[in-house]
Amino acid sequence: MYSKKVMDHFSNPHNMGELKDANAVGEVGNTHCGDVMRMYLKIEDDVIKDASFKTFGCCAAIASSSIVTDMVKGKSIEEALNIKNEDVAKALDGLPPVKVHCSVLAEEAVREAINNYRNTQS
């Protein structure tokens, strides 16, 4: 059902846990469906220097959170905002159709964290 890459990111998630010096936090999801993602970003000079996550959810949700933190590190805010759920799924070598919503949550979590950063910088 899942690719080797999904299983690897689920079994050995990258960047898991709270980022203590984060200056951007975004939370998305729905406790009714069971998937909730919290994304932490450390942004300096409009570049994402570090990223981490806490996710309560299924294998695909944890894998999507893990890989998107790898994808955004070193990117500008604008580059990170251009990461779409399709990019997340592709980076995981695909997701089953019933789990595509997990890659959508990963995209939304990044967007929410960046929105949080922009709102606190004003």
Side-chain angles (χ1 to χ4, degrees):
M1 180 170 172
Y2 292 116
S3 71
K4 286 183 181 182
K5 207 161 193 183
V6 169
M7 293 309 298
D8 182 50
H9 276 273
F10 171 67
S11 300
N12 305 294
H14 304 179
N15 313 304
M16 189 167 69
E18 185 175 338
L19 188 61
K20 297 295 182 196
D21 62 347
N23 56 1
V25 180
E27 185 172 309
V28 295
N30 185 331
T31 54
H32 298 300
C33 78
D35 295 322
V36 178
M37 289 182 188
R38 179 173 284 173
M39 185 73 48
Y40 302 90
L41 303 176
K42 175 66 176 173
I43 301 172
E44 295 175 4
D45 300 320
D46 289 336
V47 174
I48 299 170
K49 299 294 186 179
D50 205 359
S52 71
F53 74 95
K54 283 185 171 180
T55 294
F56 177 80
C58 66
C59 174
I62 291 168
S64 293
S65 301
S66 174
I67 203 148
V68 83
T69 58
D70 288 343
M71 293 170 75
V72 299
K73 283 184 182 182
K75 296 226 182 320
S76 70
I77 288 174
E78 292 308 316
E79 289 171 323
L81 287 172
N82 285 323
I83 295 172
K84 303 299 179 209
N85 75 292
E86 295 90 350
D87 303 319
V88 175
K90 184 177 179 181
L92 289 169
D93 295 335
L95 288 171
V98 298
K99 296 297 181 177
V100 169
H101 71 277
C102 295
S103 63
V104 173
L105 285 176
E107 175 189 340
E108 291 174 350
V110 170
R111 190 171 307 280
E112 283 298 311
I114 290 170
N115 287 341
N116 169 255
Y117 172 78
R118 286 179 167 166
N119 289 337
T120 60
Q121 300 303 303
S122 303

